Amino acid sequence: RMTATLALGRRVGAGGTAAAAVAATTPQLQHRTMRRCHSSPAPSTSKATVALASTAVSEWPTFLKPRLAELRTNIIDQLAGRDRIPAFMRMRQAAIDAGDSAAAAAPTMERMARLYFERGGKLFRPTIAMLMASACNQEVLARGTRQPSACAREELPHSADADDISAKQASIALIAEMIHVASLVHDDVIDEAATRRGAPSVNGYWGNKMAVLAGDFILARATQALCQIGDPRVISTMAKIIEDLVVGEFLQMSPELSPSGDQRSDLKGQRSICPSHTDRLALYMQKSERKTASLFENACKSVAMLANASDEGLHAVAAAYGRHVGLAFQLIDDAIDYEEEKEGDAGAAGKPIAVDLEQGLITGPLLLAVASEAELTRLLSGSSAEIREKVRRSGACERTRELATTHARRAAEIATSLRSTNGASEALVNLALKQLERRV
């Protein structure tokens, strides 16, 4: 705990006060924070304020690397589920595995679903879930108040020196990644994206209908894994992620955040729905919380519930960490969409740069570039290139990163409250603050 606290102090600098970070813990305060970001000058990005030394996997807690490798294998096994796949599909998959070019032209659910997992993503979400599980387990052991749920009673470590996490907690990490990837498959259909991470997407290979089915297939397998956990409260908590993803997508597609056609040049007709610029900012934050932060929040809460079923305070701490990390992650993503990219950035980012703007989506930088609905209307009347240039010149990208810094610092502060002897808490601090370095 002391190590993590010192690390936080070094990395956020004197300007990273708790009071500033707490400003984003409620919707009302989030909105006020965004207004302050809009009116304030571009923040300092000195190394003392936001920089974080690169943390290689080899420097993370020793238990993490093998766990992540195991997770990749477990996901593929979960997708394969050969006992539940019809015989003709198993035969086709065997022909594909044997190099039959004719069979390879005909997709199977398993093959389409595996496409995303076998490319080697960052596994950011399951990494956070596993680290939070370990930190919560060790916090509970430090308190001497271990009371896991019945389904995990024999699985948790029994000494304060244990690095491991329970099988049920590892399943939460696996399920979180599967839900995330299913959402990517569906997003590629919605966005009509033919590639992801520089390679063809499922819909790029086989079309939208097949891609929708592949996404549904991944969700079905994730649901099966979730049911095996056997804890109704955890199942309900994780199921909320899927609900929030759908609600977040609807919010993103609303006229207030996704104007198209005449709406881009004339937003007056929306005033009865979204009466002020402040309300549009609030809707954007709500969308970000549902579509992105919910997965982090509820995965972290679930592993905390498996660590101690009755400690509501611990559940709330874990959930708050996940929520703030998720919001910081989304804000940085939205800033990157407008920032000057370097050659090769699109492939490294896993999606085309400026895709949100090209699709007509209104995100944080665009909202922070203006102070009123009238300004927003004038800005949206230009071409995408003109809008992007005006947003960059306004300093809105820096203000978006400033808001992300508030959330990342708050997450880091929360992580320092969890006592661990294996570096899990410090790794959570690092992961939160490391978001601020991202440029792709």
Side-chain angles (χ1 to χ4, degrees):
R1 186 178 183 183
M2 179 66 73
T3 304
T5 304
L6 291 172
L8 174 61
R10 287 195 303 270
R11 291 179 173 96
V12 302
T17 64
V22 171
T25 56
T26 66
Q28 293 83 3
L29 287 173
Q30 284 174 350
H31 309 159
R32 289 201 289 273
T33 302
M34 292 196 79
R35 286 200 295 272
R36 285 199 300 273
C37 285
H38 171 75
S39 59
S40 63
S44 167
T45 55
S46 66
K47 292 183 180 180
T49 304
V50 301
L52 175 66
S54 177
T55 304
V57 174
S58 60
E59 298 171 348
W60 290 353
T62 55
F63 75 89
L64 184 61
K65 189 174 181 179
R67 279 289 193 176
L68 290 175
E70 182 184 15
L71 180 134
R72 288 188 188 277
T73 301
N74 290 344
I75 286 177
I76 299 302
D77 289 345
Q78 186 69 27
L79 291 173
R82 297 188 184 278
D83 58 317
R84 300 188 296 273
I85 295 178
F88 80 91
M89 293 183 69
R90 292 201 300 273
M91 291 172 62
R92 182 183 295 168
Q93 187 66 51
I96 291 170
D97 293 341
D100 187 324
S101 58
T108 65
M109 282 295 105
E110 179 191 346
R111 185 175 177 226
M112 288 189 291
R114 289 172 67 159
L115 183 66
Y116 284 82
F117 294 102
E118 292 181 334
R119 288 176 178 169
K122 298 175 183 177
L123 298 182
F124 181 52
R125 291 154 185 82
T127 295
I128 284 181
M130 288 185 182
L131 288 171
M132 181 57 72
S134 179
C136 286
N137 289 346
Q138 300 224 350
E139 173 65 21
V140 168
L141 288 167
R143 295 179 187 180
T145 58
R146 189 166 74 94
Q147 187 180 348
S149 63
C151 67
R153 191 172 301 281
E154 302 303 322
E155 297 178 344
L156 290 176
H158 292 274
S159 75
D161 295 327
D163 286 338
D164 212 356
I165 61 177
S166 77
K168 303 293 183 181
Q169 289 172 320
S171 289
I172 293 297
L174 176 146
I175 293 161
E177 183 68 3
M178 293 181 76
I179 292 173
H180 168 60
V181 170
S183 74
L184 295 183
V185 176
H186 286 159
D187 278 352
D188 285 346
V189 174
I190 293 169
D191 299 342
E192 299 181 351
T195 62
R196 180 166 289 275
R197 296 194 182 102
S201 58
V202 170
N203 50 308
Y205 269 125
W206 295 292
N208 287 344
K209 287 185 179 180
M210 287 293 192
V212 170
L213 291 173
D216 291 346
F217 178 74
I218 297 171
L219 281 178
R221 288 296 163 85
T223 302
Q224 290 169 349
L226 180 57
C227 290
Q228 291 169 9
I229 289 177
D231 186 317
R233 292 176 66 200
V234 172
I235 292 172
S236 177
T237 299
M238 290 298 289
K240 189 175 185 299
I241 295 171
I242 301 174
E243 175 189 341
D244 284 345
L245 278 169
V246 175
V247 172
E249 194 66 49
F250 272 116
L251 291 173
Q252 182 171 278
M253 294 169 63
S254 66
E256 296 78 32
L257 295 181
S258 184
S260 60
D262 292 340
Q263 291 173 314
R264 284 193 57 171
S265 59
D266 185 7
L267 299 174
K268 294 180 181 178
Q270 298 178 39
R271 293 188 181 279
S272 61
I273 302 172
C274 190
S276 72
H277 187 57
T278 300
D279 289 334
R280 202 180 297 274
L281 287 167
L283 188 64
Y284 162 74
M285 291 301 293
Q286 186 182 357
K287 181 276 300 179
S288 299
E289 187 155 350
R290 292 293 191 101
K291 194 169 185 287
T292 303
S294 174
L295 194 153
F296 294 90
E297 176 180 355
N298 287 298
C300 287
K301 181 178 180 181
S302 293
V303 297
M305 293 166 75
L306 290 167
N308 189 317
S310 62
D311 192 339
E312 300 287 346
L314 182 64
H315 306 168
V317 165
Y321 174 88
R323 183 172 61 255
H324 286 292
V325 164
L327 286 170
F329 181 90
Q330 185 60 59
L331 286 160
I332 294 297
D333 250 18
D334 292 342
I336 289 169
D337 205 52
Y338 282 88
E339 290 172 340
E340 193 80 46
E341 75 272 16
K342 298 178 182 178
E343 186 177 353
D345 279 357
K351 66 176 185 177
I353 299 294
V355 66
D356 291 338
L357 180 58
E358 291 298 331
Q359 293 170 356
L361 300 178
I362 296 178
T363 59
L366 183 55
L367 292 169
L368 292 172
V370 298
S372 66
E373 287 289 286
E375 279 189 70
L376 181 61
T377 301
R378 287 195 297 272
L379 185 57
L380 289 174
S381 65
S383 68
S384 294
E386 291 171 337
I387 294 170
R388 196 164 177 234
E389 181 60 28
K390 288 178 181 177
V391 169
R392 281 205 297 259
R393 288 204 310 265
S394 73
C397 294
E398 291 81 1
R399 288 191 286 273
T400 303
R401 284 184 173 272
E402 184 182 56
L403 183 56
T405 299
T406 297
H407 287 288
R409 285 174 175 168
R410 181 57 184 142
E413 289 170 351
I414 291 168
T416 63
S417 71
L418 297 171
R419 292 168 285 184
S420 67
T421 60
N422 65 351
S425 296
E426 184 171 18
L428 289 169
V429 171
N430 287 347
L431 281 172
L433 296 177
K434 197 172 180 66
Q435 293 310 300
L436 306 176
E437 289 186 332
R438 280 200 300 131
R439 296 291 167 181
V440 293

